[in-house]
Amino acid sequence: MSERCPRRRPRGETNGVWLGGTDRQLRAQLLSPFTGRHLGAFISSEHADGLRDLTSLIDAGTLRPVVDRVYPLTETAAAVRHLLDGRVTGKLALTMPAGSPGGSMPAPHPRAPLA
C-alpha cells in the first residue's frame, strides 16, 4: 500500500477521526427509535483505586467473570452464531489448542452463582 493511499476502514467506522469517538454514541441515539432495542451511550474512565479494588475482589474470589459458554477455537463460527442469536448471558470464551502459541491457558471459571 502506498503512502498516498490511506488504509481502507470498515464501512461506517471513522475510528473517532471526525468526532473524537462520540460518533458511535450519536449514531446510537439516532438509530434507537428504529430498532427494537434502546441504544444508549456509555462513557467510563478508569481510576487506579477502582482497579485495585476490583483486583482485590477477584483475588479473594468474591468477583468472578460470568462465562456463558466455552468453545474451542475450531468452533468459532458456532460461537458467533450463538452470540448473534442474542441469548448470551455473560461472556463467550474461545480456547486455543495445547501447544499453540498462547494455548494451554487455564479455562475460565464456570458461571458462578450469585451470592
Side-chain angles (χ1 to χ4, degrees):
M1 192 173 292
S2 74
E3 293 296 321
R4 295 183 311 157
C5 179
R7 287 183 179 243
R8 192 173 170 160
R9 292 189 179 107
R11 187 178 179 104
E13 292 294 322
T14 64
N15 293 332
V17 174
W18 294 343
L19 300 172
T22 59
D23 53 335
R24 283 186 180 195
Q25 293 143 4
L26 291 173
R27 281 186 283 148
Q29 294 298 317
L30 292 172
L31 291 173
S32 191
F34 305 105
T35 65
R37 299 178 180 188
H38 171 73
L39 304 174
F42 178 76
I43 300 171
S44 70
S45 60
E46 301 84 23
H47 298 284
D49 292 339
L51 294 175
R52 277 191 287 276
D53 292 343
L54 283 176
T55 302
S56 65
L57 291 171
I58 292 168
D59 290 343
T62 306
L63 180 66
R64 292 189 189 177
V66 177
V67 178
D68 185 75
R69 289 193 186 170
V70 178
Y71 290 91
L73 187 61
T74 56
E75 294 182 27
T76 302
V80 171
R81 279 193 297 274
H82 182 67
L83 180 68
L84 293 176
D85 284 344
R87 293 178 284 135
V88 175
T89 56
K91 300 289 183 183
L92 294 181
L94 297 175
T95 57
M96 303 272 295
S100 63
S104 70
M105 295 178 68
H109 294 286
R111 185 179 301 180
L114 295 175

